[in-house]
Amino acid sequence: MFYFQLVIMAGTVLLAYYFEYTDTFPVHVQGFFCFDKAFSKPYPGPEDTSKAPPVLVYSLVTAIPTVTILAGELSLFFMKSESAREKTIVTGDCCYFNPLLRRIVRFLGVYSFGLFTTTIFANAGQVVTGNQTPHFLSACRPNYTALGCQSALQYITERRACTGNPLVIASARKSFPSKDAALSVYSAVYTVMYVTLVFTAKGTRLAKPTVCLTLLSLAVLVGVVRVAEYRNHWSDVLAGYLTGGAIAAFLVTCVINNFQQTRPGMPPPRPPRQEPVVGMPMMSLPCVESPLEKLSGPQLHSQRSHDHQPYLFPATPDVLIPSRSISSEV
């Protein structure tokens, strides 16, 4: 199973790479209406000039959950008493893991898998739908005269209608859902559920809510920035929130069992032994000889030893059974 999980993880990473950095999956080309105000917002510039650039978002999405899980697992391990610590070594198909290392690898591994899965879902939605960003017409720069746009109700479906930078145009066709919003909410929900289910704050009731609300606020702020800079619509951001939150909740509840330790099942109880009934009157039954004993009786009882003394075999002892059983059978 360990190798099988590695294969699944490698396939997820490769699929996310092909969606993000190659043209293996072409973007669906949608048309547009002439002079559409919903797509005529000013071009905000490259992604690196944003107030929430992808480098910052991806760094926080990777660092915050990793540091939180490491700090939480180490504190829980060293705060336990020696008798309460788990001392067994968990054996995998190829490796030997300490229980502390096993929990850390498990939680971070599932988080990494969900991170790439969220990226795949977001990129797949953008490629399949091909929805334009609010600044699409500013990046497209269509020649309305050559296209014959006479009214705003005219719909343009020509693939060569745009005259702008092809890379900018391709990026402007990937709006639904917002990938940055999906990754931010996925990271925030996963970390918030870990803090809520694992950490125990003694003496204060506001520590965990403060940390959780701060993380969720940062994730929501990323989506607000995307909308304010005309990089995504509100519907794109909300769809990203739903995608990331659903994946995080599914992995925590159904895959890693709410960050709880899995314990082996208890063996089935042994059936109780039937003790003999004490105090019941016993009665003897006469010994019944078998036909074989009758046939071989003279030979058996007439055997003699070396000193010519008759050698008799011991008789079968009488069988003692409870009197109640006799009456019940009768």
Side-chain angles (χ1 to χ4, degrees):
M1 291 301 294
F2 181 75
Y3 295 108
F4 183 66
Q5 293 175 5
L6 288 180
V7 171
I8 293 177
M9 189 68 182
T12 306
V13 174
L14 286 177
L15 188 58
Y17 172 80
Y18 279 112
F19 266 115
E20 186 72 21
Y21 299 106
T22 64
D23 297 333
T24 305
F25 305 97
V27 183
H28 173 66
V29 177
Q30 281 194 10
F32 57 91
F33 288 98
C34 295
F35 312 104
D36 193 344
K37 295 182 179 180
F39 304 117
S40 300
K41 300 298 188 292
Y43 177 60
E47 293 286 345
D48 297 337
T49 60
S50 173
K51 295 180 181 178
V55 176
L56 178 61
V57 173
Y58 299 159
S59 299
L60 294 178
V61 162
T62 305
I64 291 179
T66 303
V67 173
T68 304
I69 292 175
L70 288 177
E73 293 302 318
L74 291 175
S75 62
L76 289 177
F77 182 79
F78 289 108
M79 287 175 62
K80 290 182 179 179
S81 60
E82 291 291 337
S83 59
R85 292 180 184 177
E86 187 180 359
K87 296 180 173 58
T88 59
I89 301 298
V90 181
T91 308
D93 294 341
C94 70
C95 310
Y96 295 91
F97 290 106
N98 182 273
L100 172 63
L101 180 61
R102 177 179 176 271
R103 282 177 60 89
I104 293 176
V105 171
R106 182 187 179 196
F107 296 158
L108 291 180
V110 172
Y111 175 77
S112 302
F113 172 78
L115 198 66
F116 288 108
T117 304
T118 305
T119 303
I120 292 173
F121 270 79
N123 286 329
Q126 293 175 357
V127 168
V128 171
T129 60
N131 286 6
Q132 298 98 335
T133 58
H135 63 271
F136 171 74
L137 292 181
S138 299
C140 178
R141 297 179 182 177
N143 189 347
Y144 292 116
T145 304
L147 295 174
C149 287
Q150 302 296 331
S151 65
L153 298 179
Q154 187 175 351
Y155 191 72
I156 305 300
T157 58
E158 295 183 12
R159 292 180 175 269
R160 298 180 181 181
C162 297
T163 60
N165 188 347
L167 296 178
V168 178
I169 296 171
S171 178
R173 293 184 182 276
K174 298 178 180 181
S175 180
F176 181 88
S178 175
K179 183 175 64 176
D180 291 358
L183 293 176
S184 301
V185 170
Y186 167 77
S187 175
V189 172
Y190 193 95
T191 310
V192 163
M193 295 184 74
Y194 179 83
V195 171
T196 304
L197 298 172
V198 175
F199 280 86
T200 55
K202 297 181 179 180
T204 177
R205 297 183 179 181
L206 297 178
K208 291 200 297 184
T210 302
V211 174
C212 296
L213 291 176
T214 301
L215 294 175
L216 292 176
S217 299
L218 292 176
V220 173
L221 185 61
V222 172
V224 173
V225 170
R226 301 289 299 180
V227 175
E229 294 181 348
Y230 304 123
R231 300 183 186 274
N232 289 104
H233 303 278
W234 275 112
S235 58
D236 307 333
V237 172
L238 293 178
Y241 288 164
L242 181 61
T243 302
I247 293 175
F250 171 77
L251 292 179
V252 171
T253 56
C254 300
V255 177
I256 54 179
N257 194 23
N258 294 327
F259 302 103
Q260 299 299 321
Q261 181 179 356
T262 57
R263 297 181 179 180
M266 299 296 294
R270 295 182 179 180
R273 296 181 57 185
Q274 296 181 356
E275 300 293 337
V277 182
V278 181
M280 294 184 62
M282 308 296 289
M283 61 180 299
S284 61
L285 292 178
C287 179
V288 179
E289 297 181 356
S290 64
L292 295 178
E293 291 180 351
K294 291 181 179 181
L295 294 176
S296 60
Q299 299 178 0
L300 293 176
H301 292 283
S302 63
Q303 291 182 358
R304 299 178 180 273
S305 59
H306 295 286
D307 54 356
H308 303 283
Q309 295 293 331
Y311 181 80
L312 300 179
F313 287 92
T316 305
D318 295 339
V319 180
L320 300 179
I321 63 174
S323 60
R324 292 183 181 178
S325 62
I326 296 297
S327 60
S328 63
E329 292 179 359
V330 175

